[in-house]
């Protein structure tokens, strides 16, 4: 018999995870919530620019359908359309809910919610709280979850890392195996269903705009246990980041949404300070090439344009891979709305972007692919659900800015009730449901890793992985390079077996935890590069100069990778195009 009160494990306390928790607790379920970092430090806290919803408060004729059309078109028709349509229809109600929870959204002088423009749409559709929208949303949901926690409906395991699912003899999830990152204790936890909301996988690319816990390790562990990983080859490079020694820092699309302009000097030998170069001597290439959308073309389009300017026209600032993102001409009121990101730039670069144009370059930013899910957020492992950046749904071949926060909340709101419904009809488990065997498997892995007498430094392996991925699997892809990248990852996997941990302690051993994750990153790296190798077309963020056109006949398909014989095996699934007929995606034309 199924339990009267379902017990659901939610892994991840970002916007997707917290949304799922709220829905489960509201429906009378109990939740064990696992997160590597305190949930309020989840990567969602970094989100800057805003959250989309077609409320049409500016009377521009915006609608859920227009939002749906922009999202599908922006994603180059690779997203399954039914969930995208539902998300866009629910968008306005989600914003109203967040508003009622007390999110301090910016307002117009009349007191209405304010909306700014973001990439890939001509409407003002993005609600925002200054330039710290993610933080405001996360804290609002966190307050709700704390209320349920105080009522005994939610128990938090912060500082615990999900290692794997506990699967019974029929392959049904019966819980998880997790590690306490302080004591390094490994334990199993029973559950009637699990929801995986573990975010993106930017760390596979070394430096990215993501926080360091975005390794994709949990998704990869599940993939190695039998879950499909879908559209792995689709990752997003954001056009406007600032490079740093440790990571890349995002200069949000909100800068362009508030009127920021991207340019380079018309004369590449122009040595004047940027602010002294008169307008007539500047090349606003996005505005010239894409007159309708201008600086607010989708990210894949803007990124490739910047690449073209730098590497084909050799027009990067001072011959370097950099272009200007300029908000210095904006009135103080508009600059004020960007304060959060302007402070970041000033702090890390030293110049005041209110007066001096910012120097930026594209950087790895977002994971469109992820665990394969159906319209109920179910993976193919019974009892395992996924939501947020960790799943493959909604964004297709390219995500539109400000659609992620909405998709995370929408995904959590669907996954929570779906997991509850599933749990209510789950047959009782036999024996321990596979817990002892899974615990033994994970402990064995730990033992081998800790006692390995090898010579390889895991951080060096990671650096080489990041360099390989960035070189071959980001903006421009060639089959030869992708094959080289796969061969390199095979070499790194081999070297991993000879890894040596300098720190073998059993207390808060972060390099041990990281080295565990590295194995999973390497496996997922192969999914990304092999998936890209096989897709001989260009679609959204996946661009191959040797196959410059989209090929719907062969590749209007979801890529599904499964782990067979220690390597990815690929199959393809038709995309749901039941609402919109695919059409050419041309931001340079007035379609
Ligand atoms: C700088 C930046 C700015 C952005 N701005 C915007 C924006 O303005 N608008 C927009 O729509 N999108 C934006 N995005 C994208 C958006 O922030 C993310 O896609 C979104 O927040 C992801 O939320 P999530 O809930 O899926 O995962 P996350 O917020 O990444 O949370 C993942 C959770 O999983 C936990 N976790 C991970 N692995 C494990 C494990 N193995 N075991 C246990 N716990 C684990 C983490 O601790 C964390 O709690 C931005 C992204 C970046 C990088």
């Amino acid at each position: 018999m199924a339990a009267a009160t379902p017990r659901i494990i939610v892994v991840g306390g970002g916007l997707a995870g917290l949304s799922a928790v709220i829905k489960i607790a509201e429906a009378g379920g109990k939740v064990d919530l696992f997160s590597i970092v305190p949930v309020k430090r989840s990567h969602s806290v970094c989100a800057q620019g805003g959250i989309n919803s077609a409320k049409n408060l500016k009377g521009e004729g915006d609608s859920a359908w227009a939002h749906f059309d922009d999202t599908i078109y922006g994603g180059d028709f690779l997203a399954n359309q039914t969930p995208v349509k539902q998300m866009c229809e629910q968008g306005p109600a989600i914003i109203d809910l967040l508003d009622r929870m007390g999110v301090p959204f910016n307002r117009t002088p009349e007191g209405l919610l304010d909306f700014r423009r973001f990439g890939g749409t001509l409407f003002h559709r993005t609600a925002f709280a200054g330039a710290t929208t993610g933080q405001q949303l996360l804290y609002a949901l966190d307050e709700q979850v704390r209320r349920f926690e105080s009522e005994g409906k939610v128990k938090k395991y912060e500082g615990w890392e999900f290692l794997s699912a506990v699967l019974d003899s029929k392959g049904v999830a019966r819980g998880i195996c997790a590690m306490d990152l302080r004591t390094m204790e490994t334990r199993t936890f029973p559950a009637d269903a699990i929801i995986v909301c573990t975010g993106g996988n930017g760390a596979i690319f070394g430096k990215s705009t993501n926080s360091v816990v975005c390794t994709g390790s949990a998704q990869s562990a599940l993939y190695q246990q039998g879950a499909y990983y879908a559209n792995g080859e689709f990752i997003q490079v954001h056009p406007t980041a600032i490079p740093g020694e440790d990571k890349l820092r995002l200069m949000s699309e909100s800068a362009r949404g508030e009127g920021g302009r991207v340019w380079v000097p018309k004369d590449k030998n122009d040595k004047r300070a940027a602010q002294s170069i008169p307008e007539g001597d500047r090349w606003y290439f996005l505005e010239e090439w894409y007159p309708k959308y201008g600086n607010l073309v989708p990210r894949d389009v803007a990124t490739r344009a910047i690449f073209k300017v730098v590497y084909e026209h050799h027009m990067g600032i001072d011959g370097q891979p950099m272009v200007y993102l300029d908000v210095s001409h904006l009135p103080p009121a508009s600059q004020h709305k960007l304060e959060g990101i302007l402070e970041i730039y000033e702090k890390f670069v030293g110049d005041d972007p209110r007066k001096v144009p910012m120097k930026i370059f594209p950087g790895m930013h977002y994971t469109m692919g992820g665990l394969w899910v159906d319209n109920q957020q179910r993976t193919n492992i019974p009892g395992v659900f996924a939501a947020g950046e960790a799943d493959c749904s909604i964004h297709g071949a390219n995500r539109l800015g400000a659609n992620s926060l909405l998709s995370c909340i929408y995904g959590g709101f669907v996954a929570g009730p779906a997991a509850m419904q599933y749990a209510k009809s789950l047959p009782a488990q036999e024996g321990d449901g596979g817990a002892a065997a899974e615990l033994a498997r994970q402990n064995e892995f730990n033992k081998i890793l800790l006692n390995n007498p090898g010579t390889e430094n895991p951080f060096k392996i990671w650096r080489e992985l990041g360099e390989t991925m960035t070189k071959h699997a980001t903006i421009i892809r060639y089959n030869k390079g992708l094959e080289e990248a796969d061969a390199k990852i095979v070499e790194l996997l081999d070297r991993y077996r000879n890894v040596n941990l300098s720190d073998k302690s059993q207390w808060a051993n972060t390099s041990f935890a990281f080295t565990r994750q590295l194995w999973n990153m390497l496996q997922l790296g192969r999914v990304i590069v092999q998936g890209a190798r096989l897709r001989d077309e260009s679609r959204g963020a996946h661009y191959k100069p040797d196959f410059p056109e989209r090929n719907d006949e062969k590749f209007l398909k979801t890529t599904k990778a499964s782990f067979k014989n220690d390597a990815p095996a690929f199959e393809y699934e038709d995309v749901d195009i039941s609402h919109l007929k695919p059409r050419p995606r041309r931001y340079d034309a007035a379609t």
Side-chain angles (χ1 to χ4, degrees), residues 10 25 31 48 63 68 71 73 109 117 127 169 171 194 217 234 302 304 306 395 444 450 461 549:
V10 175
V31 184
Q48 301 168 337
S63 64
F68 166 64
T71 304
Y73 185 66
R117 269 193 68 202
S169 58
I194 67 180
S217 180
F234 289 98
R304 279 195 293 275
I306 292 172
H395 309 294
E444 181 63 15
L450 281 167
I461 293 180
E549 301 300 327

Side-chain angles (χ1 to χ4, degrees), residues 205-222:
F205 291 78
K207 286 187 198 174
S208 80
T209 62
N210 294 184
S211 75
V212 285
V213 294
C214 298
T215 60
S217 180
Q219 296 90 297
S220 177
L222 285 160

Side-chain angles (χ1 to χ4, degrees), residues 508-521:
N509 187 338
T510 49
S511 58
F512 169 58
F514 178 80
T515 306
R516 280 197 58 112
Q517 294 164 4
L518 179 60
W519 176 262
N520 291 338
M521 285 192 253

Side-chain angles (χ1 to χ4, degrees), residues 373-447:
V373 291
D374 66 9
N375 293 354
Q376 294 294 302
Q377 306 290 139
R378 289 179 289 217
T379 73
N380 58 307
I381 298 182
V384 180
F385 298 70
E389 198 172 334
D391 80 29
C392 71
S393 67
I394 306 292
H395 309 294
N398 169 67
R399 170 174 75 86
L400 290 190
N403 256 354
S404 176
L405 301 185
L406 181 63
S407 69
C408 288
I409 295 174
Y410 168 78
F413 280 1
V414 172
M420 282 290 282
Q421 198 184 359
Y422 166 87
K424 282 181 181 158
S425 56
L426 177 69
Q429 76 179 33
E430 287 166 17
D432 74 348
E438 189 55 33
L439 185 64
R441 187 171 80 96
Q442 295 301 339
N443 282 339
E444 181 63 15
F445 191 101
N446 289 354
K447 199 168 114 200

Side-chain angles (χ1 to χ4, degrees), residues 11-17 34-39 42-52 118 133 138 160-163 197-200 209-211 213-215 217-219 250 252 299 365-366 387-390 399-406 408 517:
V11 187
L15 286 178
F34 288 76
S35 175
I36 291 181
V37 294
V39 299
S42 295
H43 166 75
S44 291
V45 82
C46 305
Q48 301 168 337
I51 173 168
N52 284 343
F118 246 61
T133 311
L138 193 69
W160 281 79
E161 181 177 343
F162 166 92
L163 302 181
C197 307
T198 43
T209 62
N210 294 184
S211 75
V213 294
C214 298
T215 60
S217 180
Q219 296 90 297
L250 185 74
S252 160
R299 291 169 183 177
H365 179 63
Y366 187 81
E389 198 172 334
R399 170 174 75 86
L400 290 190
N403 256 354
S404 176
L405 301 185
L406 181 63
C408 288
Q517 294 164 4

Side-chain angles (χ1 to χ4, degrees), residues 271-331:
K271 294 285 175 243
R272 286 174 289 181
Q275 58 276 27
S276 329
I277 299 178
E279 184 139 337
D281 291 346
R282 300 174 176 190
W283 182 23
Y284 294 99
F285 51 92
L286 289 176
E287 295 168 38
E288 182 184 310
W289 289 342
Y290 306 101
K292 192 170 170 194
Y293 287 81
N295 293 288
L296 285 170
V297 281
R299 291 169 183 177
D300 58 326
V301 178
T303 294
R304 279 195 293 275
I306 292 172
F307 241 58
K308 194 167 171 179
V309 164
V310 167
Y311 293 115
E312 287 179 30
H313 294 267
H314 306 288
M315 298 283 281
I317 305 164
D318 297 329
Q320 300 296 311
M322 283 180 295
V323 301
Y324 290 120
L325 167 63
D326 195 355
V327 297
S328 62
H329 58 286
L330 295 181

